[in-house]
Every structure is written in C-alpha cells, then in structure tokens.
C-alpha cells in the first residue's frame, strides 16, 4: 500500500511538472511571437498598448491589429488540431489517424471554399461550413473503413483516397472561381497571415467550447478507449458517444481550417508526444495536447515569419517538415499491426 501511494504521488508530481513546463513554454512562445517579426516590439510597448488600447504609434497598431490576432489564431489552431487528433485516434483506435491524414481538413477546406463561392458576403458562415465539410469527410472515411476492415492502414488509405477526391473538388472551384479561396493560395498550405479578430472570434468561440466539452467527457473517452466489449459491459452507449466525439473532432478541425487553412500534422504529432510523456489518461492527454499544440503552432509560426525575413513562408510548410518524417516513422513502427473499432 505504501509503495502504491509513493507511486501515485510521484505520478501526480510528474504530471504537475509537465503542466508547468508546457505552460511556461506556451507563454514564452506567445511573447516571442508578439515581439519578433519584421518590426521588433519591446515588452514596454506591449504592456502599454494592452493596458491603454492605444493605436497612436506604428508599433502599437502592428501589435493590436496584426500580432495579437495572429498569436491568438496560432493558439486556437494548434489546440484545436491537437485535441481533434486525440479524439480521432482514441475513437478509431488508430495511432495513424489525424485530421490532416484521413481527409477531415480537406473536407473542411472544400466546404469553406464552397461557402465563399456561394455566399461571398457571409464570412460568419465559414466555421459552420468548414465544420460540416469536416464531419462529412470523417463519416465517409469511417464508413469506408468499416465496410473494408478497420485496420490502421485501411483507414489511412480510405482517408487518402477521399482526401484526393475532395481536393479535386476544391481545385475545380478555385479554377472556376479564383477569388473563392479564403486567404489566397497560401491557405492551401496553412497560413495565419492577415487574420483579424472579427474573423477569428466566431471560430475561436467554437474551438474553446468544443475543447471544454471534450475535457468534461474525459471519463467516457477513457471507457471508449478500452474497446467496444469492455465499454458495453460498463454501460457506455458506444454509438452515441462515438458520434459525439467525432462531432467534436470535426467541429475543432473545421473551425481551425476556416481561418488557418490546411495546417497539417499537428493532430498526429502532438497526441503521440503527449501520450509518450504523460500516459493515456484522457483528462491529461486532452489538456496537455491543447497546451502543447498551441505552443507548437505558435513556435512554428514565429520560425515561418523570421527564418527567411523579410520573406515569409506559410506555417503549414514548417509543420510538414516536422510531421512528414514523423508519419513515416509511425508507418514503420506500426507495420503489421491492426486496430479494430
């Protein structure tokens, strides 16, 4: 009993330390993202502008109109994609799944482009349209995998096929209606450039709500991760909870895509890294993934803005350099393994 208490205390201390470290990294990344860029902004200007809301100086205007909305967008997108990845991997029992891998982000982008094409003046509809596209893509992948055998590779291949089909539809719309792509061509690779608070607030509100609901349902997610037979024996309504979690995952990915475009691999890399150091308890996996995902995208966006200054590259390119090799590593690691719903 004494050994168990010691182990439990050590684990709690370990988890607490992870929260502290990840939060400090997130804060440092956010401050760096606000300070560094083509124009350097010192901390005194930041504090003065936030407290007074003044926009009299050039630096204050850059801070309030460009830097703060962009950092807020990075935080929202990173946490959204990371938590969405946790939900998708847990519900599908598939370590290779992620919103960018199985075509969820592509479905969100297609509906966002369609929304801009049909309703160009109603930008407030973008998060809802992207959410509906993400949900449709996820249902298509899940259905295709269910009929052909839900192995890790089957779900990934189904996602790639459906993503290619949806991307063809997006390409068709952008060729016929060149102005229909929100944010221009950089939206296809994932970019946080030019985001304003009026565009971000609706999507950010949906992301915050979905993350809080996911964390509140962490017990049900833990039970669902044990497998269908055990979950049924414990009285969990599998179909209902699976649909709710997939709905939340689609809402998170769709909302993030509506302003950030196809930012890939966050939902694949972050959940794996968090589980490696924090274990599989959903309460910690979800919370730490939200923090670490926000930090990762923020850091990568700083690199994207400053590494090739005065030129800027989309943040999605930086993340692809990180996520591509990681995905190949996972493919080799899980070859020969299957994962059933």
């Amino acid at each position: 009993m004494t050994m168990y208490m010691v182990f439990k205390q050590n684990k709690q201390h370990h988890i607490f330390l992870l929260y502290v470290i990840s939060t400090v990294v997130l804060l440092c990344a956010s401050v760096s993202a606000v300070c560094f860029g083509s124009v350097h902004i010192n901390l005194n200007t930041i504090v003065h502008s936030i407290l007074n809301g003044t926009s009299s100086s050039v630096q204050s205007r850059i801070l309030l109109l460009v830097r703060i909305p962009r950092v807020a967008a990075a935080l929202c997108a990173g946490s959204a994609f990371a938590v969405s990845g946790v939900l998708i991997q847990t519900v599908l029992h598939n370590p290779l799944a992620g919103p960018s891998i199985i075509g969820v982000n592509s479905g969100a982008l297609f509906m966002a482009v369609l929304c801009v094409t049909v309703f160009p003046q109603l930008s407030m509809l973008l998060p809802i349209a992207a959410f509906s596209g993400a949900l449709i893509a996820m249902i298509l992948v899940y259905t295709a995998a269910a009929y052909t055998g839900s192995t890790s590779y089957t779900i990934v291949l189904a996602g790639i096929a459906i993503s290619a089909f949806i991307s063809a539809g997006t390409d068709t719309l952008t060729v016929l209606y060149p102005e229909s792509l929100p944010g221009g061509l950089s939206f296809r690779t994932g970019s946080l450039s030019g985001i304003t608070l009026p565009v971000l607030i609706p999507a950010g509100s949906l992301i915050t709500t979905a993350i809080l609901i996911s964390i509140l349902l962490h017990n049900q997610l833990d039970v669902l991760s044990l497998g269908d037979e055990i979950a049924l024996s414990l009285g969990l309504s599998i179909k209902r909870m699976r649909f709710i979690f997939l709905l939340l995952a689609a809402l998170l990915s769709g909302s993030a895509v509506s302003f950030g475009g196809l930012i890939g691999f966050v939902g694949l890399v972050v959940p794996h890294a968090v589980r490696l150091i924090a274990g599989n308890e959903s309460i910690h996996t979800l919370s730490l993934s939200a923090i670490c995902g926000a930090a990762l995208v923020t850091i990568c966006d700083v690199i994207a803005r400053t590494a090739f200054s005065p030129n800027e590259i989309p943040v999605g390119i930086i993340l692809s350099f990180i996520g591509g090799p990681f995905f190949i590593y996972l493919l080799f690691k899980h070859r020969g393994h299957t994962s059933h719903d």
Side-chain angles (χ1 to χ4, degrees), residues 226-308:
L226 298 174
D228 288 3
E229 291 185 6
I230 297 177
L232 278 173
S233 67
L234 294 174
L236 185 72
S237 177
I238 295 177
K239 290 184 178 180
R240 181 168 65 89
M241 293 311 304
R242 181 176 284 135
F243 177 75
I244 289 173
F245 285 126
L246 291 179
L247 196 70
L248 290 169
L251 182 60
L252 288 165
S253 293
S255 298
V257 169
S258 70
F259 63 83
L262 294 181
I263 298 176
F265 294 106
V266 180
L268 180 72
V269 173
V270 173
H272 278 279
V274 168
R275 288 192 183 100
L276 183 65
I277 60 178
N280 294 317
E281 289 185 60
S282 293
I283 180 66
H284 301 307
T285 306
L286 291 167
S287 302
L288 285 170
S289 290
I291 298 172
C292 294
L296 175 63
V297 174
T298 303
I299 292 170
C300 289
D301 192 48
V302 173
I303 295 172
R305 287 193 286 114
T306 59
F308 302 96

Side-chain angles (χ1 to χ4, degrees), residues 42 96 105 140 185 188 307:
N42 58 50
L96 300 177
N105 289 357
L140 288 174
L185 292 176
R188 292 297 300 267

Side-chain angles (χ1 to χ4, degrees), residues 18 20 61 72 81 90 94 127 138 157 238 241-242 302 307 327:
L18 288 176
V20 172
R61 288 196 294 272
F81 285 128
T90 304
N94 190 331
M138 189 174 297
L157 291 174
I238 295 177
M241 293 311 304
R242 181 176 284 135
V302 173
F327 182 58

